[in-house]
Amino acid sequence: MLRLAVAALVSGFMVTTAAAQAISMRMHSLAGPTSAVWTVSNQNGSISVPTVLPNYALGALQDHGVIDNPLYRYGEQDYKWVREETWRFTNTFIAGVELQNQTQVDLVAEGVDTVADIFVNGHWAGQTENSHREHRVPVTAFLVAGNNTLTFRISPAVEAAQLRSAAYPYPVPSLQEVQVAPFNFLRKPASDFGWDWGPAFAPAGIYGPVKLQAYSSAFVEAVSTRQMHLPNGSVLVSVDTALRGALAGETGTLVASFLNDTSGWNATASVTLPAAGQKVVTLEIMVPPEAKRWWPAEYGAQSLYDLRVVYLPSAQGGRFTYSQVRVGFRSVRLVQEPIPGAVNQTSFYFEVNGLPIFAKGSNAIPMDVVPSRGRSPVALRRLVRDASDSHQNMLRVWGGGEYYADAFYDAADEAGILIWQEAMFACAMYPRSAEFLAEVRKEVAWQARRLGSHASLALWGGNNEVETAFGWFAPSRDNPKLYAGDYIALFVDTVREALLSVDPDVIFVDSSPSKGVLSQAPFVKSWEDSWQPNKGDVHFYDMTPERDAWDPQLYPSAKFVSEFGFQSFASFPVFANQSAPADWSRNSTLVGFRQRKLGNTDLMLTQLAKHFQVPAANASAGAPPGAQERLFKIWTYQTQLWQARAYETAMSLWRRIKVDAGASTMGILYWQLNDIWAGFSWSSVDYGGHWKLLHYAVRKTFKPLLVSGTFNATTGVLVAYVTSDVAAPLTGHMLVELVPWAAGSGDGPPISNVTAFKLPALGSAPVFNASILPWLAAAGVSDPKEAFVRLSATAVASPWARGGGAAAIGAAQRAFPRLSAQAAADLVVAANPQEGLYSTYTVLLGEPREATTLPAAPNVTLSAFWLAAPDTVCFTVRSSAVAGFVALESSMVAADGVTAAGYFSTNLFMQLPWEPRLVNFTAREPFADGAVAAGRVAASLSVLSLGDMLTVDPADDLQ
């Protein structure tokens, strides 16, 4: 009877998580907008301001005007004193009878950053040493009736790291290019101490929930799931439930049940807690083959099922507690096998539900110098949407930053974004003291259990570039055996073992980049050169002044590119918000201050000069008003155009060589998706969410159908390729058009050729291969550099994919034998897009700087603005001559004054005088002012193109 009662409770009682916590263990929250106010004060009490958690001292001081925006100009230097202070976060709360009447009261705090002493009513209650995990501190003995005082005293992170490093028995080196302390000795985001893309605020604060949990009987503390996919298509789901109890010997009933009209998908067990504390209980649920699968974006739907776990104590009057997670049924394999027909080549790719997946994505970093702001659900969901809207299907959570809050992984589940999750270690050797390893073990196990149910979680990585870093430092080069022992103790014996304790089937790579292992059982590293492209993953940054980032031959035939990239400068509206007009020169002190990668500015200027006429840094004396701003905008545009074309060149190459046995490239994760301030960086999205030109190039290059091409200036041969990530054969047409730079509005369509093609599922092939020298002669173009080629391709899925039914499912399984029937059925639906597939690509036949007929004044106009939807304004783009690589930019921001208001449907395009173009500006939130929004959008826009480089006053001394 008890089992029936509990099952009815699971299926019929629907409450929110917050409500469930209130019922379960009398939770008293001390963080959040409706919770009590805290006081933030420095050591001597000369500064004291109120705040609401989560927040940091840096954020609280800005909120109350003690400091200005820390990102404005030299705020990093001006407010260095903030990181050097000891900060107290103090709260007064009432311990009512709902707390006092329970057997046990724990303080539970997540994200205390970092070294903090905890005091309750003046009594020392505990200490935190790790910002990457939750801390649970018993406080029953310290509470009194009525008012109670809780204080977190947070020590300066820089000093704490230096003290730990100095006390260690031998040197443990870390990256020290711009970093202000040995970050490897503190379990805090490494990038908080400065990185080659951001500042060193090393902030102190609390980014997560703080609460009191009072309980007498056990409650559901956490739930994590594992999956085993059986040959018949069924899925055995293991539900690991962490129960926490106050008393030994307690008994009760545990029920796990899926809620989405899934009758019979449940399991029940009787439970006995042998001791107070945490006990993990595993239930198994057999899910039938017809369950819908979860797929990465653009391969299928993201089907998610709600799983609820309920615990009911046996004792009279015991209250039930529950936790709820979402589960997506999918299998994931990391395939590392010898490649047939290739010598000493090993694959590296992800297979989801039996289908090989080409990973297209980027690396994500912390979003704000005040971490609590960057971890907000709005900010994290925006980050995932920026990836999803640009056709990405994987994000790598980089090991030098932070584990993101739950909203990030929830959004990834919903969007079909696979997550390469790294443990938080990067670019250093690390200590292996017993205390350090114990902290890491708790951290990784806690994070693994927190994230374990997410369908998006594909892989755990041990670190970023730690294996590679052996060659960076004199101590590790001189004594590699010592540091190899440290490495194994930390990443194999601690990180890996902690992950296995939560999920014995976890997919784990110990470092990135790395060449893999000789054996999984026992786990034995190969220790091969991690930069070689024949196996494993690769980070590619091999750039020198004599090389050209626009040359496809620069890029290695790697199996999986988990990092690569080149810098550009922040978009002008974003930098303008953090600077003064005196800073708007590429030679200004502030622009130099925002470059954290030694030598990269000169390298970038060398690259720009290969392709463009680079404007002078400063306008000449007597130049008209606005000349300096215009010079700076043109230079910023050049850096972003150069970056975008470099990424487009590399990513197009890697996508099309996936079918070459000697390459077999199956993944691109560019560096980097987002930014933390306005300056030089590798990002495609500025701080605040403004899309740089690179992000538009990414969106075009990552589309399921890709057209790309190369031109051989010596032979005059153009080769055009079509690449597909559609899991069905395609039929289509490619249009090849020759466009002279000098073409005018009366010239009409250019010389062109249409070629039909057929492409196998997930295929890639050249479609056009011919000399275009006769075309140039026919067009009256004497030199290839005076023209470009525009490629465009359209395609539809083959009839079997569109037809559906058993025949289509059978065809899909013949194409991909590892698919289950349900997975094949899902793919058949996904391969039948409502609209045809389309892609374009521009092939330059020479350098823009050498084109003598490039129009200097193409007269690009924006007109006919109208509100097409609550969040969309449409307008028309026209030009009187060919406008190369048109860049639209909006200075419009949201109400917070920082977040970009929206983005364009297309950007960085070739505008032809005979082709008016309709462009949408999509706001992140619906416009509040209705039809008036069209005028506001119009007023916020500016436009640049290649021709603008030619219209700078000669007195400004173009280089």
Side-chain angles (χ1 to χ4, degrees), residues 148-161:
N148 291 258
T149 301
L150 169 64
T151 298
F152 292 90
R153 187 182 66 195
I154 305 179
S155 301
V158 171
E159 180 183 8

Side-chain angles (χ1 to χ4, degrees), residues 28-185:
H28 184 85
S29 176
L30 300 175
T34 60
S35 299
V37 173
W38 290 67
T39 299
V40 180
S41 57
N42 63 346
Q43 180 75 0
N44 64 12
S46 60
I47 299 174
S48 181
V49 295
T51 193
V52 174
L53 296 185
N55 205 351
Y56 276 63
L58 192 69
L61 296 179
Q62 182 188 1
D63 293 341
H64 292 279
V66 178
I67 64 173
D68 292 327
N69 178 4
L71 295 182
Y72 183 71
R73 302 196 79 201
Y74 303 99
E76 180 188 16
Q77 291 180 336
D78 296 339
Y79 306 127
K80 177 184 174 183
W81 61 268
V82 178
R83 76 176 187 225
E84 296 172 346
E85 280 274 9
T86 295
W87 293 100
R88 296 174 182 268
F89 287 70
T90 303
N91 174 257
T92 298
F93 63 92
I94 297 175
V97 293
E98 75 278 4
L99 297 181
Q100 298 177 45
N101 289 344
Q102 303 295 328
T103 304
Q104 179 73 30
V105 181
D106 293 342
L107 171 67
V108 183
E110 178 186 340
V112 180
D113 192 0
T114 294
V115 178
D117 289 290
I118 303 170
F119 298 89
V120 178
N121 295 324
H123 301 283
W124 186 87
Q127 186 180 55
T128 69
E129 292 266 349
N130 191 335
S131 71
H132 296 308
R133 71 174 179 91
E134 179 183 88
H135 293 79
R136 179 177 291 273
V137 180
V139 295
T140 314
F142 306 121
L143 297 180
V144 298
N147 288 336
N148 291 258
T149 301
L150 169 64
T151 298
F152 292 90
R153 187 182 66 195
I154 305 179
S155 301
V158 171
E159 180 183 8
Q162 291 170 338
L163 290 173
R164 284 159 174 75
S165 176
Y168 204 71
Y170 56 86
V172 184
S174 62
L175 198 64
Q176 291 292 308
E177 293 180 345
V178 295
Q179 289 76 8
V180 296
F183 59 82
N184 49 340
F185 276 86

Side-chain angles (χ1 to χ4, degrees), residues 234-247:
S234 298
V235 183
L236 181 63
V237 179
S238 297
V239 183
D240 298 324
T241 303
L243 297 174
R244 180 168 293 278
L247 301 171

